[in-house]
Amino acid sequence: MAAFIQKLFRNRKANPAPPAPVRREQTPENLEKVNRQDDKREQQAGLLKSAPTDGQLEELATSGMTAGIRIEAAEALADKAALQRVQKLAKGKDKGVYQTVRQKLQHIRDEEEQQRKLAEAIQTLVRNATEQARSDDTKLFEARLEALLQKWAEVESRASQQQTTDFLQAVHQCRDRLREMQAEKEQHRHQQEQRNQRAETLSLLENTLDELKRQDPDLEPSLASLDALQKTQENRWLEATRDTQVDKQEQKAYENLMQTLRAYIAAVRRLGQHREEITSLQNPAEGDPEDETGANKAKDILDNIEWPKDFQRPSLLDSLHRTAGKPRPAKTGKPDAEEQAHLTDSLRQTLDKLEATLEAKQLKESRQLFKTAQNQLKNLDHHHSKSLQPRIHLLGGQLRELTDWQGFATRPKQISLCEQMEYLADQPMEPEAKAERIKELQNEWRDLGGSSDRDLWSRFKQASDLAYEPCKAYFSAKSGLKKANLETRKTICEQLRTFLENADWQTIEWKAAERIHQTAREEWKAAWPVEFRDNRSVQKQFDELLKQLEEPLNEERKKNEALKQGVVERAEALIDHEPLGEAMNQAKSLQSEWTNIGITRHREDRKLWQAFRKACDQIFARRDAHKNEQEQRSREADEKAQPVLSASKSVGADASKDTLQATLTELNSLKSEPLSAGAREQVSNERSRLSALASNRQLQEQIETWKHWIAARSTSTLDSNALPGHWAELAASVGQPDPVELVIRAEILAEVPSPEEDQGRRMEIQVQRLAEGMGNSASDNDKSEQLEMLIANWCVVQPVDVLSEPLAQRLGRAMEAVLGRRS
């Protein structure tokens, strides 16, 4: 507003008020100009109301007749480049248009930034879903997947088809993993239930057999009950071992128990069948039991009945045994009467507790007490156990009734199914696993025969519908995934068709073609699930295209298999080839040749490779055998060298010269032996050590000899014939130094100090030697040679009358210093 007012009154502030204008008459030219401007303004306004193009809007925004037309045109512009051009032209000229365009561009930039962030969010969701599908981390797997699905629901409408396909594919893989996890958990639960059923079956069979063994043998058991028990436990064991691994000992225990029960039932049944015959044999009126015919018949009946040895024999069979002439089995020992009475009291207390738990319908405690009672009954003899067996039978029947009541009561089971379904409705499970669990509960409801209670049925139905509600969205999304996978499969078919139409089989890269074949199959398999009906025609196309691709591939594979077969045959021919090195080199060349051969069928390639590998192994096995032979010779040589090395290591610096020389000779004799690297190194080290000892010993002898010659020369007792023949030449090469200079030169060589009175003379000699280029940088060997020359001059040239013992001692010390460095 302030800007508008300032613009309106700008001329008034700048100039004084002009005089009132003289009213002039409107000329025809002015009227025509005004009319043209009005027409143009109306024309521009009409253009804005019709659907102008971006170019027309841009023109109106920059050259409209009025500010309103320009601003309206600028507001209608949507193209970013056009807005930027208008902003550039309006800057500093049309503030209203400039501000309008600036706001429009800012709005566009905001939208672009929002779109960029949305695209990043979508890409992040797709990446996170893919990573979760591949991740081995199963912690909070389902919760993380649900969080991804919730975020995806917010951006799904903005995602591309490819992004939707990738996300749904990853989600499908995640759900597959969830199903696997749930299936594994369910399998573990089922296996645990089977283990429990097997344990209960073994316990029931064991308890039943123990009870039958302890009961009064004359109380005939119910065959119908025993048959029912046998069949139910056989079916129970069959279900408890279906599709699972059973421990061999557990299976063996069941078979032994069931076999014992079957044998007992069969014996009881056969006893009933022969009862009349047994009675007739026992009736004196029918015949004498001692009669031979009766005894034979009694034996036949006993053999037919085959009464199990582990069960007490009825009195009827005892009499039959007496008739047959067979003794009654000896009874096992039982505790004494006092202990029997104590055990009887304990059993009665256990039975009292059992009655109390049965009345309280405590199944678990009742089973434990009943088992305890059976174990206590085993320790009683027949006399004490006979009075308690009916009570145990009665309580056992009550226990079975309680077990049946709690295991098969219909209404409590249906109430439990309702509660399970209601609990399932509140659980954030994977949809397919939840749908499967809903189906299982519904099947269990049907297996119970339904319910006449409408309220109970309505409760179950309502819980089922509520539990299935979250699954609807998933199966709807899965339908979309099926469509996307079908489109992916169609694209694979198009790509295969294009490849086959353009492939040149004469120059094609066969490994690349094989990879295309493999990749097409993998991508086809990955594009799952799909709708079966819609996929049939696409599947047919894919199969035909794969067949067209496989034909040239198979021809090339067979050709390469023939080449590899040739390589195998050549390798087999090298097994006995000589020399071995040539055979090994050719085998290596064949390995390179094998690698360069192209594609083959996997199964055939494995067979050929095994044959080729076998031939190469046999070739290189010869090398290994040769190597082993060499190692054996080395071991023998090492064993042979070990005493020599032991003796050598015992030789020290105080050994005699002959001992050193003899030991060195033995070590040198080992040079030709095929020693191992370690042993050869030990021999070399010992040879070097002993050689050094011998050299030191020789050097010490030399030092002592030279010292003797030096002292003998100073005392005129030296025998010149004992000196080396070449010393005369060495002595002459030194010149004619006086004895003091000769000794100082020796001390300079040895780098030992000279007496204080000779320091000036020593300095002169050193300066002279430096001037002559004869510094003190000579090596030890050079110093030894120079010292030998000085000693030769002392012993050969120097006059005896000028030599003194102190000078001889100084020369000896210098000699020891020089030669001692070599030791």
Side-chain angles (χ1 to χ4, degrees):
M1 180 64 72
F4 177 76
I5 294 174
Q6 183 179 2
K7 182 178 180 181
L8 182 62
F9 293 102
R10 182 179 299 165
N11 292 332
R12 293 184 182 182
K13 294 180 181 179
N15 300 313
V22 179
R23 184 179 179 83
R24 293 184 296 178
E25 295 182 359
Q26 293 289 340
T27 63
E29 292 79 5
N30 292 335
L31 289 174
E32 184 179 357
K33 183 178 180 180
V34 172
N35 291 333
R36 284 199 302 271
Q37 291 177 350
D38 291 341
D39 292 341
K40 187 175 182 180
R41 183 169 55 253
E42 292 177 359
Q43 183 181 1
Q44 290 178 348
L47 182 60
L48 279 175
K49 294 179 180 179
S50 60
T53 62
D54 288 343
Q56 292 172 337
L57 289 172
E58 184 178 354
E59 180 67 23
L60 290 174
T62 55
S63 59
M65 292 297 295
T66 65
I69 292 175
R70 294 192 299 273
I71 292 175
E72 186 178 354
E75 289 178 347
L77 267 176
D79 183 62
K80 183 178 180 180
L83 286 169
Q84 290 174 342
R85 289 192 295 270
V86 171
Q87 184 185 32
K88 185 176 180 181
L89 293 173
K91 186 176 183 181
K93 297 178 182 179
D94 192 337
K95 191 171 184 179
V97 172
Y98 180 81
Q99 292 293 338
T100 301
V101 172
R102 182 171 174 273
Q103 293 175 2
K104 290 275 293 184
L105 287 172
Q106 184 61 41
H107 181 68
I108 290 175
R109 283 192 289 269
D110 292 342
E111 288 185 347
E112 289 178 346
E113 180 65 19
Q114 186 178 359
Q115 290 295 330
R116 185 187 64 79
K117 291 182 179 179
L118 181 63
E120 289 181 356
I122 293 174
Q123 192 62 33
T124 300
L125 285 175
V126 173
R127 183 173 61 255
N128 291 343
T130 304
E131 291 176 354
Q132 182 166 345
R134 298 173 181 172
S135 174
D136 294 333
D137 184 12
T138 58
K139 187 176 181 181
L140 300 176
F141 192 90
E142 186 174 2
R144 287 187 282 132
L145 179 60
E146 291 298 329
L148 286 176
L149 289 173
Q150 291 177 2
K151 293 179 181 179
W152 179 258
E154 299 174 359
V155 299
E156 183 177 7
S157 59
R158 304 292 184 89
S160 64
Q161 180 181 357
Q162 183 61 40
Q163 289 173 331
T164 302
T165 301
D166 293 343
F167 181 81
L168 292 178
Q169 186 69 42
V171 169
H172 182 71
Q173 293 175 2
C174 290
R175 296 195 187 283
D176 285 344
R177 291 194 62 191
L178 279 175
R179 281 194 297 274
E180 292 174 1
M181 294 162 58
Q182 187 68 25
E184 184 178 356
K185 183 177 180 181
E186 179 63 24
Q187 183 181 7
H188 179 74
R189 185 197 64 77
H190 180 65
Q191 290 177 351
Q192 183 62 40
E193 179 64 23
Q194 286 181 316
R195 284 193 290 270
N196 294 338
Q197 291 294 327
R198 293 197 299 271
E200 292 179 4
T201 298
L202 293 176
S203 177
L204 179 58
L205 289 175
E206 183 179 356
N207 293 337
T208 301
L209 291 174
D210 290 342
E211 183 180 348
L212 291 174
K213 291 175 182 178
R214 291 193 305 269
Q215 72 177 5
D216 188 352
D218 293 330
L219 294 177
E220 184 177 352
S222 172
L223 279 176
S225 300
L226 292 176
D227 286 336
L229 174 66
Q230 175 189 344
K231 292 178 181 179
T232 55
Q233 295 311 307
E234 284 177 343
N235 293 334
R236 186 182 189 182
W237 185 265
L238 182 63
E239 291 298 326
T241 56
R242 191 186 303 278
D243 301 328
T244 187
Q245 293 290 335
V246 182
D247 185 69
K248 292 183 178 179
Q249 294 182 353
E250 188 178 19
Q251 181 67 28
K252 186 176 180 180
Y254 165 76
E255 292 174 355
N256 291 337
L257 292 172
M258 185 55 71
Q259 184 177 1
T260 302
L261 179 61
R262 293 193 190 103
Y264 179 78
I265 294 174
V268 171
R269 182 176 290 108
R270 289 191 294 268
L271 177 61
Q273 294 172 354
H274 291 282
R275 186 176 298 276
E276 294 181 359
E277 297 180 65
I278 297 173
T279 304
S280 64
L281 288 174
Q282 292 176 340
N283 191 347
E286 297 294 332
D288 187 358
E290 301 298 329
D291 183 75
E292 183 178 354
T293 303
N296 293 334
K297 189 173 182 180
K299 291 179 181 179
D300 292 340
I301 294 174
L302 288 173
D303 293 339
N304 187 25
I305 292 175
E306 293 183 343
W307 188 262
K309 297 180 180 180
D310 296 335
F311 294 87
Q312 297 185 49
R313 202 162 57 197
S315 58
L316 194 63
L317 287 180
D318 285 341
S319 62
L320 191 62
H321 268 264
R322 288 193 294 272
T323 302
K326 295 182 178 181
R328 182 180 178 88
K331 294 184 179 180
T332 59
K334 292 289 182 176
D336 56 24
E338 183 178 353
E339 186 176 356
Q340 286 288 317
H342 177 69
L343 292 175
T344 304
D345 293 338
S346 299
L347 178 56
R348 287 195 177 96
Q349 294 176 5
T350 302
L351 294 178
D352 293 339
K353 294 179 182 179
L354 177 58
E355 285 183 353
T357 55
L358 287 173
E359 291 178 1
K361 300 192 182 310
Q362 298 175 353
L363 180 60
K364 183 177 180 180
E365 292 78 0
S366 299
R367 286 177 174 171
Q368 293 176 350
L369 289 171
F370 186 73
K371 187 173 183 179
T372 302
Q374 288 180 322
N375 292 332
Q376 292 174 341
L377 187 63
K378 293 179 182 178
N379 297 323
L380 296 178
D381 56 20
H382 178 69
H383 174 71
H384 290 83
S385 64
K386 183 176 181 180
S387 61
L388 295 174
Q389 282 179 353
R391 187 180 179 189
I392 290 181
H393 283 303
L394 178 61
L395 295 176
Q398 293 178 5
L399 177 60
R400 287 191 291 272
E401 290 177 2
L402 178 60
T403 303
D404 294 339
W405 180 82
Q406 291 196 357
F408 300 101
T410 302
R411 182 173 177 81
K413 182 63 175 177
Q414 290 175 337
I415 294 175
S416 174
L417 289 175
C418 291
E419 293 173 349
Q420 292 180 51
M421 189 67 77
E422 290 167 349
Y423 174 78
L424 186 64
D426 297 333
Q427 298 305 305
M429 293 176 60
E430 193 271 333
E432 289 198 6
K434 178 177 280 191
E436 185 66 25
R437 182 56 181 159
I438 291 172
K439 186 176 180 181
E440 291 177 0
L441 294 176
Q442 290 173 341
N443 290 336
E444 290 183 28
W445 182 276
R446 282 193 292 269
D447 292 340
L448 293 175
S451 175
S452 58
D453 189 343
R454 301 302 300 172
D455 294 337
L456 193 60
W457 161 246
S458 299
R459 177 185 174 186
F460 183 76
K461 180 67 169 60
Q462 183 178 0
S464 300
D465 295 340
L466 184 61
Y468 188 75
E469 190 65 29
C471 302
K472 292 181 180 179
Y474 165 75
F475 287 111
S476 176
K478 187 174 181 180
S479 177
L481 177 61
K482 289 182 178 179
K483 293 179 181 178
N485 287 334
L486 186 63
E487 292 299 324
T488 301
R489 290 192 169 190
K490 290 180 180 179
T491 303
I492 294 173
C493 290
E494 290 298 327
Q495 293 174 348
L496 273 179
R497 185 178 293 105
T498 302
F499 171 73
L500 290 172
E501 291 174 354
N502 299 314
D504 184 0
W505 299 109
Q506 302 300 322
T507 59
I508 196 169
E509 185 180 350
W510 290 103
K511 289 186 178 180
E514 188 177 47
R515 283 197 298 270
I516 290 173
H517 177 270
Q518 182 179 358
T519 303
R521 292 173 62 88
E522 291 175 352
E523 291 182 355
W524 183 272
K525 185 178 180 181
W528 185 88
V530 292
E531 194 64 40
F532 176 74
R533 294 182 180 178
D534 297 336
N535 183 61
R536 280 186 295 187
S537 59
V538 184
Q539 182 72 49
K540 185 176 180 181
Q541 295 177 23
F542 181 71
D543 293 340
E544 292 175 354
L545 292 169
L546 276 188
K547 185 177 181 181
Q548 295 177 26
L549 178 56
E550 287 171 352
E551 288 179 358
L553 286 175
N554 287 334
E555 292 179 2
E556 180 67 16
R557 288 166 179 159
K558 291 179 180 178
K559 182 184 75 173
N560 292 331
E561 288 166 7
L563 294 176
K564 288 191 174 183
Q565 181 63 41
V567 172
V568 171
E569 293 173 356
R570 283 185 285 164
E572 291 174 345
L574 292 173
I575 294 177
D576 299 323
H577 183 79
E578 292 293 345
L580 177 58
E582 182 178 333
M584 291 170 57
N585 292 332
Q586 292 186 24
K588 294 177 181 178
S589 300
L590 290 177
Q591 290 176 345
S592 300
E593 184 178 343
W594 179 283
T595 305
N596 295 328
I597 296 176
I599 62 174
T600 54
R601 290 174 294 181
H602 178 72
R603 182 176 298 178
E604 296 299 324
D605 186 78
R606 293 303 303 169
K607 293 180 181 178
L608 292 170
W609 169 251
Q610 290 174 0
F612 179 61
R613 181 64 182 272
K614 181 179 179 181
C616 290
D617 289 344
Q618 292 179 2
I619 295 171
F620 291 103
R622 293 170 57 195
R623 176 198 63 183
D624 296 338
H626 181 67
K627 183 178 179 181
N628 293 335
E629 184 179 352
Q630 289 181 337
E631 292 177 351
Q632 179 63 27
R633 290 200 299 269
S634 296
R635 284 193 294 270
E636 294 175 355
D638 290 350
E639 293 176 358
K640 179 180 178 182
Q642 197 60 42
V644 178
L645 285 171
S646 299
S648 174
K649 291 178 181 178
S650 64
V651 175
D654 56 346
S656 65
K657 184 177 179 180
D658 294 340
T659 302
L660 288 173
Q661 190 61 39
T663 307
L664 279 172
T665 302
E666 291 182 354
L667 290 174
N668 290 330
S669 66
L670 297 177
K671 290 182 178 180
S672 59
E673 296 294 332
L675 298 173
S676 64
R680 188 173 299 279
E681 182 179 3
Q682 293 182 38
V683 170
S684 178
N685 292 338
E686 283 299 307
R687 190 185 301 114
S688 299
R689 185 179 70 84
L690 295 182
S691 298
L693 288 176
S695 299
N696 291 337
R697 179 67 56 80
Q698 183 179 0
L699 182 62
Q700 291 297 327
E701 292 176 355
Q702 180 182 351
I703 291 174
E704 294 298 327
T705 301
W706 286 6
K707 287 176 65 177
H708 173 71
W709 288 347
I710 291 171
R713 179 65 175 176
S714 63
T715 58
S716 303
T717 59
L718 176 63
D719 183 6
S720 59
N721 295 326
L723 298 177
H726 66 284
W727 271 27
E729 183 179 356
L730 292 178
S733 63
V734 175
Q736 296 295 328
D738 58 74
V740 175
E741 180 183 353
L742 187 146
V743 171
I744 292 174
R745 288 173 62 179
E747 289 172 342
I748 292 173
L749 283 175
E751 299 180 5
V752 297
S754 301
E756 185 176 355
E757 61 270 15
D758 292 335
Q759 288 294 325
R761 184 78 181 274
R762 178 169 176 158
M763 182 65 68
E764 293 176 0
I765 295 172
Q766 285 179 326
V767 172
Q768 181 182 359
R769 289 176 60 82
L770 288 173
E772 295 174 355
M774 298 175 62
N776 202 26
S777 60
S779 64
D780 292 339
N781 291 332
D782 292 340
K783 290 180 179 181
S784 300
E785 293 176 359
Q786 294 179 31
L787 181 65
E788 185 178 2
M789 293 167 60
L790 294 175
I791 295 174
N793 187 275
W794 173 280
C795 295
V796 176
V797 176
Q798 294 296 325
V800 176
D801 56 349
V802 297
L803 302 179
S804 64
E805 185 176 353
L807 289 176
Q809 292 176 354
R810 287 171 60 185
L811 181 60
R813 286 194 296 271
M815 178 191 65
E816 289 179 350
V818 173
L819 298 182
R821 295 193 186 101
R822 294 174 53 188
S823 61

